[in-house]
Amino acid sequence: MTATAPHLRAADAALLRVEDLVVEFRAAGRRRVHAVSGVSFDVLPGETLGIVGESGCGKSTTARAVMRVTRPASGSVRFRGAELTRLSERGLRRIRTSMQMIFQDPVSSLNPRRRVRDIVAEPLVVWGRGDAAAREAKVREALAAVGLDYDVVGDRYPHQFSGGQCQRISIARALVLEPELLVCDEPVSALDVSVQAQILNLLEDLKERYGLTLVFISHDLAVVKNVCDRVAVMYLGKVVEVAPADALYRASAHPYTRALLSSIPDPDPDPGPDAAARDAEYGPRGESPSPLDPPSGCRYRTRCPLAQDKCAREVPEPRQLDDGHTVACHFPITTS
Ligand SMILES: Nc1ncnc2c1ncn2[C@@H]1O[C@H](COP(=O)(O)OP(=O)(O)OP(=O)(O)O)[C@@H](O)[C@H]1O
Ligand code: SF4
Ligand SMILES: [Mg+2]
């Protein structure tokens, strides 16, 4: 536990620990895009962490900085205790195979000119793993794990498959290197609702089978609810609330989380007097501010119905409410 991120657990218990991550981009006129501004979270082995928030809040940038596709301006990313931001290219190469990522648009993430067997084998070739026969065995196994038959699909090209099947192929490609951590960036957002459930079930099965640890990014709390142990809610480059999934849905304390929850249809036929309507009252007003010029103090204050003077003056530091539940708000909601 740290003062700035009380939701972090013991450093040696975490597979991935991200602390105070800052990522900025240069915009026109030497202005800075404050895409990720001091984000902290951790993931224990075998856990699934959800990262949710509306478009542009910094989810993908956070994921790319964790994978070292994007270089952070500052902060720490530890994987199995190794500080990735300070590792040499060589050290990083060794660890990179243990961390894989899958993306929102499976069709465009697959090379259209290559056959499925070569697409899935590519990471093995790049990392010099095994001979041709060993690689084929691995590709067969990975395709079978995602429900595809090598003899049927191996010779085909991506355009011959549906979006759901393409996502299965990208998952197979991520699995061949036997990663420990799978970062899934909106893996089902581009798919039909019926196919979404199949891919989510597949990820759950693979997690069990291979002992994977997942970071699951989505703008949709309803999706995250069913697959995550813990959830971190992001708003304009900051984590505003972290909680075990059930606590977040039962008793979220940040107005922004409440607003996100109000957009999920409630499966409970009698959720109480207009629970969704009540949560909607905490909802964002107006447009999201630009990350070029985030509001002072609390970044949600320009849209928050509970905002007071203090919210403009002071950045709300995360504080612990219950075990594993932290919120960054000066006036957290305490009614459930
Ligand atoms: N390479 C870049 N150069 C400049 N700005 C960038 C770059 N990449 C991202 N941004 C900006 O950083 C902010 C965060 O973007 P990011 O893609 O991480 O959001 P996101 O939460 O993944 O959104 P979405 O749900 O739409 O995928 C946005 O304002 C985006 O425009
Ligand atoms: S700190 Fe203030 S503005 Fe920010 S979410 Fe809490 S009440 Fe709203
Ligand atoms: Mg994104």
Side-chain angles (χ1 to χ4, degrees):
M1 200 188 279
T2 71
T4 53
H7 52 276
L8 291 180
R9 293 156 292 180
D12 56 0
L15 180 67
L16 176 70
R17 183 181 167 105
V18 173
E19 226 174 316
D20 242 342
L21 187 73
V22 175
V23 185
E24 294 174 346
F25 299 105
R26 283 262 164 238
R30 302 186 59 82
R31 298 181 73 196
R32 275 186 298 169
V33 181
H34 301 271
V36 174
S37 306
V39 159
S40 301
F41 59 84
D42 59 7
V43 199
L44 304 191
E47 206 171 47
T48 300
L49 172 77
I51 302 182
V52 290
E54 68 196 328
S55 182
C57 70
K59 305 180 294 296
S60 297
T61 305
T62 300
R64 284 198 293 267
V66 165
M67 301 296 294
R68 278 290 303 267
V69 181
T70 300
R71 197 174 263 280
S74 61
S76 156
V77 178
R78 286 180 167 266
F79 182 75
R80 265 199 259 113
E83 178 58 63
L84 301 194
T85 55
R86 273 189 249 121
L87 271 188
S88 64
E89 230 7 81
R90 195 146 157 245
L92 203 56
R93 271 177 69 85
R94 248 181 285 131
I95 246 169
R96 251 199 194 131
T97 57
S98 305
M99 307 165 69
Q100 295 293 312
M101 194 161 167
I102 55 173
F103 302 92
Q104 174 170 351
D105 186 352
V107 181
S108 69
S109 75
L110 303 176
N111 185 335
R113 285 180 298 278
R114 305 205 71 194
R115 293 175 198 276
V116 167
R117 57 176 152 80
D118 297 325
I119 289 173
V120 178
E122 190 180 15
L124 297 169
V125 175
V126 169
W127 295 98
R129 296 271 178 91
D131 57 16
R135 287 202 288 268
E136 184 185 315
K138 273 263 170 241
V139 172
R140 275 184 185 277
E141 189 192 328
L143 283 170
V146 300
L148 296 172
D149 183 343
Y150 181 97
D151 294 321
V152 177
V153 304
D155 275 341
R156 299 207 202 147
Y157 293 91
H159 73 266
Q160 296 175 282
F161 295 92
S162 66
Q165 285 170 319
C166 284
Q167 195 57 290
R168 286 174 190 269
I169 295 165
S170 4
I171 296 170
R173 180 179 55 183
L175 285 179
V176 286
L177 290 170
E178 299 173 11
E180 288 173 79
L181 178 74
L182 194 57
V183 177
C184 310
D185 190 357
E186 306 257 11
V188 297
S189 309
L191 306 177
D192 291 344
V193 174
S194 59
V195 182
Q196 288 190 2
Q198 292 169 15
I199 297 294
L200 292 175
N201 288 338
L202 173 66
L203 285 169
E204 287 274 281
D205 291 349
L206 295 173
K207 186 183 146 163
E208 286 296 310
R209 186 162 158 191
Y210 295 106
L212 293 169
T213 303
L214 297 187
V215 173
F216 191 98
I217 294 172
S218 178
H219 62 274
D220 186 349
L221 258 180
V223 168
V224 166
K225 183 177 182 185
N226 296 319
V227 294
C228 296
D229 303 302
R230 269 158 78 87
V231 180
V233 180
M234 282 186 73
Y235 181 79
L236 207 61
K238 296 229 175 228
V239 170
V240 296
E241 187 161 16
V242 180
D246 55 342
L248 194 86
Y249 293 93
R250 217 176 349 94
S252 61
H254 198 283
Y256 178 63
T257 313
R258 288 286 178 115
L260 286 180
L261 284 170
S262 72
S263 58
I264 305 181
D266 201 318
D268 181 349
D270 182 17
D274 275 337
R278 182 205 57 212
D279 288 349
E281 292 188 1
Y282 299 113
R285 297 165 173 192
E287 293 293 302
S288 180
S290 165
L292 279 169
D293 189 19
S296 64
C298 172
R299 291 190 175 183
Y300 190 52
R301 72 169 167 86
T302 53
R303 302 171 83 194
C304 179
L306 306 185
Q308 302 185 31
D309 292 348
K310 183 179 183 184
C311 305
R313 284 196 314 268
E314 291 175 31
V315 175
E317 296 300 341
R319 62 167 116 160
Q320 181 131 2
L321 298 178
D322 284 315
D323 200 20
H325 186 175
T326 58
V327 65
C329 172
H330 294 306
F331 307 104
I333 303 160
T334 50
T335 55
S336 52

